[in-house]
Amino acid sequence: MPLSEKALIDRIRRNARRSSSLAAGIGDDCAVQRVVHGYDLLITTDFTLEGIHFRREWYRPAVVGSRCVVRGLSDIAAMGGEPKTVFLSLALPRKLPQRWVDGFMKGLLQTATKFKAVLAGGDTAESPDGVCADIVVTGYVPRGHAILRSGAKPGDEIFVSGALGGSAAALREFFAGRRPQPQDFPRHFAPIPRVAIGRFLRDKNLASSMIDLSDGLSTDLGHICEESGVGAEITAAAIPRARFGRKTALVDLRLGLDGGEDYELLFTSSRGKSVPARIAGVPITRIGRVTRQKKVVLIGQDGSRKRLRPQGWEHFR
Ligand code: ADP
Ligand code: MG
């Protein structure tokens, strides 16, 4: 059983870092976050639900905690922002061992700290069934410079960071009844929010639009196109596919196109801007271009052109 609510909050409070950007953190009715002149405040929220986003028997609790906060940090990265605070609303079933909660918090706090975000508050309650962790992450971006999904223009080039499909490859192993090992599937067990890449692109004014790849390329590219009122053409052969297992196998194209939870960045850049081949040590690959025709087309190895439908993750589907 978890500690009582009061004792649990006290323990979380002891482990949370303090920050000069907070006039008050855990312990009062609200956190008091200092607003920085000349900046816009970014706010994002993400659920992590047992049975939907994770299964307790598949992961160490620290992995669940870390992945939980990465979802929000990655959203801040996708705007070109700097993460500042994390809020955690946690509902725990009565039968959950406190050991699990400790592991979860350790993973969450370690990852938040790595990306300079402090835990500034939350809520704690008993869940009728299953762990439910809802996080809010805030961040800052220089005023007016957030990189939106809606800025892509026909003729822009489309880029992606890192490699795709590596996270979904681990899920496929789980669903096949196998036990993928964390060292063989780092993108799944220890995803990295691309904060440094997002910041670089914003700082150098290189991206006309951006999104983080949480649902899968086919779905997330669809979001950029919809918000920007444009279409896209991407080349199958250009998609950087992840390696997995003992680093020997490449994921198949379908996983690269539709696999979710890689937390890489997908962005567009107007022609003439020079996008480096690597940013913050991560390869950046050009995969296609933005078109006026409002559909997403995949150009195959044989030159064939097929409509690419969003087939990534979607709840209730
Ligand atoms: P209230 O009754 O005003 O909601 P709580 O007793 O729920 O206050 O919370 C007390 C303090 O502890 C608040 O500052 C709240 O933000 C913080 N807190 C509660 N649960 C968590 C949690 N899971 N993680 C981080 N902070 C928490
Ligand atoms: Mg409360």
Side-chain angles (χ1 to χ4, degrees), residues 176-192:
R178 292 185 286 268
R179 285 236 139 225
Q181 292 303 303
Q183 66 272 20
D184 297 334
F185 296 87
R187 246 3 237 171
H188 185 74
F189 290 89
I192 302 166

Side-chain angles (χ1 to χ4, degrees), residues 2 61 73 82 92 96 113 119 122 130 146 158-159 166 183 186 209 219 224 242 247 254 256 260 284-285 292 295 317:
L73 295 170
E82 319 262 349
L92 306 169
L96 189 74
T113 301
L119 184 63
I158 305 172
F159 295 86
Q183 66 272 20
S209 73
T219 296
I224 284 198
K247 307 265 181 237
R254 211 64 250 176
I284 305 294
T285 310
R292 204 167 295 278
K295 57 185 182 188
R317 205 181 60 184

Side-chain angles (χ1 to χ4, degrees), residues 161-185:
S161 68
L164 308 184
S167 185
L171 271 189
R172 196 175 52 181
E173 294 295 297
F174 277 127
F175 283 117
R178 292 185 286 268
R179 285 236 139 225
Q181 292 303 303
Q183 66 272 20
D184 297 334
F185 296 87

Side-chain angles (χ1 to χ4, degrees), residues 1-311:
M1 197 157 65
L3 290 166
S4 71
E5 180 185 342
K6 173 87 173 51
L8 181 54
I9 295 175
D10 284 346
R11 181 178 295 199
I12 291 173
R13 184 178 186 175
R14 274 200 307 279
N15 291 323
R17 273 189 320 131
R18 327 241 159 271
S19 159
S20 57
S21 65
L22 285 175
I26 296 175
D28 217 308
D29 294 312
C30 287
V32 182
Q33 184 168 346
R34 296 224 154 89
V35 179
V36 187
H37 188 69
Y39 284 78
D40 286 331
L41 180 61
L42 304 170
I43 307 167
T44 180
T45 153
D46 289 276
F47 265 136
T48 294
L49 306 176
E50 183 174 353
I52 302 287
H53 300 98
F54 74 97
R55 292 197 190 169
R56 223 191 301 157
E57 62 276 19
W58 285 357
Y59 307 102
R60 287 190 303 114
V63 168
V64 181
S66 176
R67 282 169 45 104
C68 167
V69 72
V70 161
R71 297 160 66 78
L73 295 170
S74 175
D75 284 328
I76 301 288
M79 307 301 284
E82 319 262 349
K84 282 289 171 211
T85 59
V86 177
F87 296 81
L88 170 68
S89 290
L90 196 56
L92 306 169
R94 182 169 279 270
K95 58 179 189 293
L96 189 74
Q98 176 58 34
R99 209 168 5 89
W100 193 94
V101 186
D102 288 338
F104 173 90
M105 287 308 304
K106 191 168 170 204
L108 184 145
L109 288 171
Q110 255 176 10
T111 299
T113 301
K114 203 185 276 176
F115 294 92
K116 302 198 170 66
V118 290
L119 184 63
D123 201 17
T124 305
E126 187 172 330
S127 157
D129 189 29
V131 173
C132 164
D134 186 30
I135 52 142
V136 174
V137 178
T138 75
Y140 284 114
V141 68
R143 181 184 280 168
H145 290 276
I147 305 171
L148 308 180
R149 294 179 179 183
S150 53
K153 299 273 183 306
D156 287 358
E157 301 191 303
I158 305 172
F159 295 86
V160 73
S161 68
L164 308 184
S167 185
L171 271 189
R172 196 175 52 181
E173 294 295 297
F174 277 127
F175 283 117
R178 292 185 286 268
R179 285 236 139 225
Q181 292 303 303
Q183 66 272 20
D184 297 334
F185 296 87
R187 246 3 237 171
H188 185 74
F189 290 89
I192 302 166
R194 299 303 195 187
V195 175
I197 299 176
R199 184 194 299 133
F200 181 93
L201 292 170
R202 186 258 297 151
D203 195 43
K204 302 279 187 267
N205 198 19
L206 287 175
S208 51
S209 73
M210 184 149 68
I211 190 170
D212 66 318
L213 291 174
S214 52
D215 295 331
L217 177 64
S218 61
T219 296
D220 291 323
L221 178 56
H223 292 321
I224 284 198
C225 289
E226 204 173 310
E227 292 302 316
S228 298
V230 295
E233 258 178 27
I234 58 172
T235 309
I239 311 286
R241 288 183 276 149
R243 293 188 177 279
F244 69 102
R246 303 271 128 77
K247 307 265 181 237
T248 49
L250 270 181
V251 302
D252 55 48
L253 180 63
R254 211 64 250 176
L255 278 192
L257 290 171
D258 301 327
E261 296 187 322
D262 284 317
Y263 300 110
E264 295 295 349
L265 293 177
L266 173 70
F267 62 95
T268 58
S269 187
S270 44
R271 259 183 315 192
K273 298 230 174 195
S274 75
V275 175
R278 297 179 88 83
I279 299 176
V282 180
I284 305 294
T285 310
R286 183 184 169 280
I287 60 168
R289 63 185 185 91
V290 178
T291 59
R292 204 167 295 278
Q293 269 225 324
K294 292 184 186 171
K295 57 185 182 188
V296 180
V297 171
L298 179 69
I299 304 173
Q301 316 268 17
D302 53 355
S304 65
R305 301 167 64 88
K306 284 205 200 78
R307 187 95 186 246
L308 180 66
R309 312 262 173 202
Q311 284 181 42

